[in-house]
Amino acid sequence: MVQTLEALKMEAKASKEMYKAELKELQYEILNAQQFLRNNNIGLVLVFEGMDAAGKGGAIKRLTERLDPRGYVVHPISAPQPHEKAYHYLHRFWTRLPQYGQIAIFDRSWYGRVLVERIEGFARTKEWKRAYEELNQFERQLTDENYIVLKFWLHVTEDEQLKRFEERKNDPYKAWKLTDEDWRNREKFPQYHEAANDMFAKTDTENAPWILVAGNNKHYARVAVLKETLKHIEREVKARGLQLTNILNNETDN
């Protein structure tokens, strides 16, 4: 079944109490999974895409909060630098892949080719149209080896996005997050919506699936990201004939 943004239940919520109760336990389960992946030499690649102010950074922060910092890296991806344009567009992602047993988290990713580059005209039509298969092949090469790949799209409605933009504008500690480009991109919300749906239809694969998360409620979205990450890791290690065992002390309070 093809996933679409229209099918998301944007009213989904989690109470603050439920969020606090679940978050700590899920974070320790993620830490357990990290140690398991390291011990079994399995690399994990997590992709985060979504509308501006959809909560990608907040979800990544909660996902990594209790991880061993020696075992993961977060790559914030922006427009390619001049020297990166001298290579194939996937080159800068190949060089950021994690070692086996490590985790790499991409805050934006290679999907820029079929999102911002498509919409802004940075890639020619024939380039972004052929990119769907190129990206599928890229991810297939990873998952055919000892990598697990999971892709998240965090979504907010236009009204919620505007509310968050205004909050950022008025908060001196968050104003740096808001740029003129963010305001300009709001005018192209429908185009990003269409491009995202095309992307899901062409690149949501069994080996590297897209997980669409309703992000209007931050607590709900953060818990959903942790749960889906764990579920996918468990499924993938089981497919490899392994069992995700708990190697941590369940009584840990730290």
Side-chain angles (χ1 to χ4, degrees):
M1 181 178 178
V2 176
Q3 300 193 79
T4 64
L5 295 177
E6 289 81 2
L8 273 176
K9 297 179 180 179
M10 298 303 297
E11 70 278 6
K13 294 181 179 180
S15 68
K16 188 174 182 179
E17 294 73 22
M18 183 182 298
Y19 171 69
K20 287 184 175 181
E22 289 190 278
L23 183 63
K24 182 177 179 180
E25 179 180 353
L26 287 168
Q27 287 178 331
Y28 276 122
E29 289 185 31
I30 290 286
L31 173 57
N32 172 59
Q34 180 194 29
Q35 301 301 314
F36 179 89
L37 294 174
R38 183 185 67 184
N39 292 340
N40 287 277
N41 217 32
I42 300 171
L44 175 63
V45 176
L46 299 176
V47 166
F48 284 83
E49 293 282 358
M51 307 304 292
D52 292 329
K56 295 182 293 298
I60 292 170
K61 178 180 178 180
R62 273 68 184 185
L63 177 68
T64 60
E65 203 160 24
R66 296 185 189 273
L67 293 183
D68 180 347
R70 298 168 298 179
Y72 77 90
V73 62
V74 178
H75 297 295
I77 302 299
S78 57
Q81 297 299 309
H83 71 278
E84 292 173 322
K85 293 181 180 180
Y87 298 92
H88 188 279
Y89 73 96
L90 287 175
H91 176 268
R92 64 183 178 136
F93 302 108
W94 274 109
T95 59
R96 288 173 168 85
L97 292 176
Q99 300 175 23
Y100 291 133
Q102 301 276 305
I103 299 171
I105 299 169
F106 289 86
D107 185 353
R108 304 275 186 207
S109 70
W110 41 92
Y111 281 96
R113 172 63 45 133
V114 296
L115 292 170
V116 63
E117 292 185 36
R118 163 184 171 172
I119 293 168
E120 299 295 340
F122 298 145
R124 292 173 292 179
T125 300
K126 67 178 183 180
E127 290 175 329
W128 64 256
K129 282 189 173 182
R130 74 165 185 253
Y132 297 117
E133 185 55 32
E134 292 170 348
L135 301 180
N136 286 337
Q137 291 176 3
F138 169 56
E139 292 165 357
R140 171 59 72 180
Q141 289 179 69
L142 300 182
T143 58
D144 280 351
E145 296 295 330
N146 226 20
Y147 285 101
I148 295 172
V149 177
L150 181 60
K151 304 170 301 199
F152 287 101
W153 177 276
L154 273 66
H155 197 62
V156 288
T157 59
E158 289 188 72
D159 288 344
E160 179 63 22
Q161 185 189 61
L162 179 59
K163 175 184 173 184
R164 293 183 185 182
F165 277 16
E166 293 291 348
E167 289 174 352
R168 289 181 177 183
K169 183 178 71 173
N170 297 320
D171 185 340
Y173 294 105
K174 293 184 178 180
W176 63 269
K177 293 184 176 182
L178 193 61
T179 67
D180 291 339
E181 185 177 349
D182 293 329
W183 287 108
R184 187 171 60 85
N185 286 342
R186 260 189 65 77
E187 300 174 4
K188 299 183 179 181
F189 199 101
Q191 291 172 258
Y192 277 97
H193 194 287
E194 178 184 6
N197 278 338
D198 287 347
M199 179 179 71
F200 306 141
K202 294 178 172 64
T203 64
D204 181 23
T205 60
E206 184 175 357
N207 63 294
W210 279 102
I211 304 297
L212 278 56
V213 178
N216 276 5
N217 182 274
K218 293 181 180 180
H219 290 160
Y220 171 83
R222 292 166 182 172
V223 167
V225 166
L226 268 71
K227 286 181 175 178
E228 290 293 339
T229 300
L230 285 166
K231 185 170 76 173
H232 188 67
I233 291 172
E234 290 174 357
R235 189 192 79 177
E236 289 299 312
V237 300
K238 184 177 181 181
R240 289 165 167 79
L242 301 171
Q243 180 68 38
L244 185 58
T245 54
N246 188 358
I247 61 174
L248 298 176
N249 184 347
N250 288 327
E251 301 301 319
T252 301
D253 292 327
N254 298 327

